[in-house]
Amino acid sequence: MSSSNSVTVQILDKEYSIICPQEERSNLISAARYLDGKMREIRSSGKVIGADRIAVMAALNITHDLLHKEDRPALQASGSTREQVRDLLERVDLVLATDPDVSKG
């Protein structure tokens, strides 16, 4: 692979040059930013010292989150799903408020 397939990312103040296909560049950059954020959270907590230990803790936390998201699909409702539910509830409320036959129950 040529150097044109190389992407440089910065994680916890260190640069890493990684070779990846052009179509995966944005995913790699997003993943590196996410990892950097998690590692910075762990480092700022002061409970874990050393880049290696911080990296392992971040990997464990990310893996834990991923595995438990698969266990709880109902909790993964996207914003658009929530908006759809709110819209439906508003419609029901509107019908209940304006239809005299429905409110007599």
Side-chain angles (χ1 to χ4, degrees):
M1 292 187 153
S2 69
S3 62
S4 64
N5 290 336
S6 178
V7 176
T8 301
V9 295
Q10 193 164 0
I11 301 172
L12 211 57
D13 304 323
K14 289 188 179 183
E15 285 191 354
Y16 298 89
S17 184
I18 302 167
I19 296 173
C20 75
Q22 182 69 29
E23 62 273 9
E24 290 296 321
R25 289 175 77 104
S26 63
N27 289 338
L28 174 63
I29 291 168
S30 294
R33 285 183 183 150
Y34 184 79
L35 177 59
D36 181 60
K38 288 292 188 183
M39 289 178 71
R40 287 179 186 280
E41 283 177 25
I42 292 167
R43 182 176 69 179
S44 69
S45 76
K47 295 178 183 176
V48 181
I49 299 172
D52 291 346
R53 289 176 182 259
I54 291 170
V56 169
M57 290 305 298
L60 286 171
N61 287 335
I62 292 167
T63 303
H64 178 269
D65 291 347
L66 176 66
L67 292 175
H68 286 280
K69 279 185 180 181
E70 292 173 1
D71 292 342
R72 300 177 300 190
L75 296 178
Q76 294 181 35
S78 67
S80 63
T81 303
R82 288 184 184 130
E83 289 171 16
Q84 290 173 348
V85 169
R86 266 189 231 118
D87 184 49
L88 289 172
L89 288 173
E90 287 173 7
R91 289 181 188 183
V92 169
D93 288 340
L94 182 62
V95 168
L96 289 174
T98 59
D99 190 340
D101 293 331
V102 174
S103 60
K104 288 180 185 174

